[in-house]
Amino acid sequence: MEINKLNENILALITIKGLQYLLAFITFPYLTRVLQVEMFGAVLFAQGVINYFTLFTDYGFNLLGPKDIAQNDDITKRGKVFANIFFAKILLFVIATIIFVISIFILAKYFNADIWLYAVVYITVIGNVIFPIWFFQGVQQMRYITIVNIIARLFSIAGIFCLVKEPQDYLLAALFQAIVPLIAGICSWIVLIKNFPEVLCLPKLKDIKNTLIDGWSIFISTVAINLYTASNIVFLGIFTNPITVGYFSGAQKIIDNVKQLLGPISQAIYPHINKLVKESPQSVKPFLRKVILVLGSGNLLLSIFIFIFAKPIVDILLGNGYEESVILLRIMAFLPFIIALSNVFGIQIMLPFGMQSTFSKILICAAILNTCIVIPLILLYQDIGVSVSIVITECFVTAVMFYVLKKNKIWS
């Protein structure tokens, strides 16, 4: 029964990712050509900045939520877990919005920033708050998410192709990307109310407080991850210009899409592993060996393909004017393989086995390492420097996680 549900969730997530790739294959090259390097870079830079607010409101619940939901089969308890997490996210959203509004006024007054661009992209934060994908992962009912994602992404692609025609339409381009989680979130609540009425309850203030305390270590981990991943584009934008950001963003977008290609398997097995750890610990290691074989070998082949065919990939996906992105893509080509290994070691092993503290410490060290090397490398080599920094940091994370698991005899 559990295996059938796992296979169903993997299939649902693969459908979502397949749709994302289909739409990305159409919209991504379209936007790089229509917006051109400078405005494409400006939109990506704004998305990088707003990502801090998304990170704050997520608070690690995308990892904590599926785990807690999966380990609570009792409907009443499951409803309370949902309410605690959702209202904690609402509280964090209120705080984030106050900070955002103050920041917008400061940016407008002293730095002549494009506040409308940031305001439009901030819609992403609203969508991520109300879209409880973590709940559907936890109950292993990802087919619902498949449907709402299809609806949201089809609306997005229609808007982009109908209304985004020139670089001056960058606000519309940002808008139609930002509303995807908002539409999906609204649709998901229709499903929740109809199929999971137990979530419609009010939490106690002390339970919200305890939920925030429980999520603190994972939140610190996600902040650390952000400091050596998404923050790099912000650093690059601060020390260079939108055109350089555009070159790097183009290459990074390709890598990000490839990294997520086998992501459905990772997302679907996470709650399944948590249930195995609780109910059948002896079956966890054999299952994990199969996972690392599939994710590792699959991503290794993808990485080799990217390295060899970097130039035609850039020509097809990014178009003219992005020649600088070819060398960046080759530098980052093996990131999908490296990150696939660290995902298994960290997310799929350390967290279910209660090693949250060690997991956080490794990522904090990685963030410190990246911060120490990324700025000097940007000043010396600009977009090439930030690409090298990412590769060094991800290699560090994977190597240290493997060492810790071997030392603690959890992985052999």
Side-chain angles (χ1 to χ4, degrees), residues 131-200:
F131 187 22
I133 189 170
W134 45 271
F135 176 80
F136 292 103
Q137 275 186 266
V139 295
Q140 300 189 60
Q141 296 289 343
M142 294 302 293
R143 65 179 182 273
Y144 295 119
I145 301 304
T146 307
I147 297 168
V148 298
N149 264 283
I150 289 173
I151 294 170
R153 293 185 182 280
L154 287 177
F155 184 86
S156 172
I157 190 172
I160 288 173
F161 276 98
C162 290
L163 298 174
V164 180
K165 301 294 184 181
E166 55 186 355
Q168 288 72 24
D169 296 329
Y170 69 98
L171 287 178
L172 289 172
L175 173 64
F176 285 112
Q177 293 176 77
I179 60 174
V180 170
L182 180 62
I183 295 172
I186 294 170
C187 294
S188 71
W189 272 91
I190 298 173
V191 176
L192 280 174
I193 293 170
K194 182 179 179 181
N195 296 283
F196 303 97
E198 68 271 13
V199 305
L200 301 176

Side-chain angles (χ1 to χ4, degrees), residues 369-403:
L369 170 64
N370 183 76
T371 304
C372 289
I373 65 176
V374 70
I375 294 176
L377 285 172
I378 289 173
L379 294 174
L380 289 171
Y381 305 108
Q382 296 193 338
D383 44 7
I384 291 177
V386 74
S387 303
V388 171
S389 173
I390 293 172
V391 174
I392 292 173
T393 306
E394 292 292 359
C395 286
F396 169 82
V397 171
T398 304
V400 173
M401 284 182 174
F402 180 73
Y403 171 77

